Amino acid sequence: MEELIRTATYKALESLGVGDTVFAVEWPGDLKHGDYAVNAAMASAKKLGKSPRDVADQLAQSMRETLGESVTAIEVAGPGFINIRVAPQVISSVLTTAYEKGGAWGRGVSREGEKVVFEYSCPNPFKEMHIGHLMSTVIGEASARIIESQGARVLRDTYGGDVGPHVAKALWALRKRGTTTPDTATEIGEAYAEGSRAYEDDEDAKQEIDTLNTELYAALAKEAEEQTPEEKQLLELWSLGRDLSYDSHKTIWKALGTVFDYIIHESETAPLGMRMVRKGEAQKVFEESEGAVIYRGEKKGLHTLVFITSRGTPTYETKDIGLAFLKEERMGPFDHSYIMTAAEQSGHFAVFISALEDIAPLLAKKTHHIAHGFLRLTTGKMSSREGGVITARELLQEIITRASERNDDPVIAEEVAIGALKYFILRQAPGGDIIFDPEQSLSLEGDSGPYLQYALVRARSILAQASDVEVTEADGTETLARLITRFPEVVRKAEAQQAPQGITQYLTQLAGAWNSFYARERILGGTNEGEKIALVKAFVTTMENGLMMLGIPAPEKM
């Protein structure tokens, strides 16, 4: 319907000689004012030398003729807005389409034919996944699903630092303990924290860890037959530690409903990145400074960063250069590559993409960084270096335990807990910090994941009892009905703006309208039963599809 309104508005503007006017078609804050509002009169009034109200009157008349019986009212309001109310029969027809389409309802084609690579979560092995990674995992999964909903083929990848100083710190501490076969990811995480403290407090330990870091890179660069017994022993400990870490990460990804197509390691990207940076050095993209290789970002308004240290080891920036090339080599040509990380890494990514632009402009053009905020608890931002990190596993378990107090079924309790966490993260723009309150997140009183889940459970229970009811066309005058018709456009806008919170906020409004309808109407056995069941079916389809796009579970009961 929005496209019909937009087309009618363009036609009306062209009749006045201002067809190039840029305008917005929006939803009024209050449905009492109509289903759509157009600001074209205010946008074109200056060009026409008339008042916005006078222009709005002319545009409204033309739009009434074009839209005909598909609308019941086109009115001028305020300083020159044109408010439009869609005809009930159009609303009713859309609702029928909604439940007949099933899982396809709300999906679009704006990304049809595109291949998109989406990198998110990205916990490092040799550390436990912490609560910050929950932000990236939850927002990244929702964003990937929303892109898929518009027809794109999405390849999910996660990237972990299995080499570098943090790995050397963990391996150093394990060796100091005499541990050759660690048993759990927690044990490895504790070793990392121990090594981090030693690195800060003990100069001898710092030198030993730096040396171990260099030795690990050297061992990885050799073929197996060239490695010394000591190097083989080091690599065995390294390999075991990495595997245990990823086994732990995969458990959490599974609980959150995420499956990655590719898990890429820094040990794979570092050699390729080194080659590309050395090549760029020969082309004067990079330069040597005090034994290190640097990129001077000031030439593009950025800052200087080291890409190869004076010890000859690659930095994160060099590994990311290698990753950019490895993605296309491993996954084939793609249209876009999105990388989601915490906002504190925005400076790093600005310099990395700038350097990539100088050596591979086409690859840089389709590489995009998306920043998210921090997930905080009452104790503030957590630091894994200090060993005081709250792990993702611990937080998830706490929420599940709380949900279990209200749900006897452990499967339902976990679905409610995951829904509570995801909703709390997805209800606001990705760039903002979130202070997570486990108790508030589980509330059934509104503005929570369980609130949406419970609304769906109620509606499904009605449909289960109405299997023999003859369904007729839904009443298109209901507030709930008019909100349901917005769903495809809500999804399209959320994808275009990279804003999953648009869907979250919409579903909350929709659940509120459903609860009002449920409290007011006798659905089963009441008047116009077939109309009401049709509306319930459209609501269930919309809520199911919306929750699926956000990655929020839809329990069968609560």
Side-chain angles (χ1 to χ4, degrees), residues 51-74:
S51 74
R53 290 282 303 197
D54 288 342
V55 175
D57 286 334
Q58 290 180 277
L59 293 176
Q61 180 57 40
S62 174
M63 292 167 68
R64 288 187 192 102
E65 295 172 2
T66 301
L67 292 170
E69 294 183 357
S70 63
V71 299
T72 56
I74 298 181

Side-chain angles (χ1 to χ4, degrees), residues 56 91 123 142 146 188 194 196 220 249 251 305 336 381 406 428 508:
I91 300 290
I146 293 168
I188 296 166
E194 179 184 337
S196 293
L220 287 167
H249 297 341
T251 300
L305 281 179
H336 296 281
K381 177 183 173 183
R406 311 173 192 192
Q428 67 182 51
T508 305

Side-chain angles (χ1 to χ4, degrees), residues 218-234:
L220 287 167
K222 294 180 180 180
E223 298 294 335
E225 60 272 14
E226 299 173 339
Q227 294 163 357
T228 66
E230 292 77 13
E231 288 173 330
K232 289 181 184 293
Q233 188 178 49
L234 174 62

Side-chain angles (χ1 to χ4, degrees), residues 106-109 144-152 491-492 495 549:
R107 293 181 171 271
V109 295
R145 291 183 182 211
I146 293 168
I147 291 173
E148 282 177 327
S149 78
Q150 297 304 298
V491 177
R492 189 194 66 76
E495 191 282 319
M549 289 178 190

Side-chain angles (χ1 to χ4, degrees), residues 28-97:
D30 189 338
L31 276 169
K32 293 178 182 177
H33 298 149
D35 297 296
Y36 294 94
V38 180
N39 70 347
M42 291 178 288
S44 61
K46 188 175 181 179
K47 294 179 184 178
L48 293 168
K50 298 180 180 180
S51 74
R53 290 282 303 197
D54 288 342
V55 175
D57 286 334
Q58 290 180 277
L59 293 176
Q61 180 57 40
S62 174
M63 292 167 68
R64 288 187 192 102
E65 295 172 2
T66 301
L67 292 170
E69 294 183 357
S70 63
V71 299
T72 56
I74 298 181
E75 301 168 342
V76 177
F81 285 105
I82 301 171
N83 291 339
I84 301 165
R85 181 170 293 277
V86 178
Q89 66 268 22
V90 174
I91 300 290
S92 298
S93 176
V94 174
L95 295 184
T96 301
T97 299

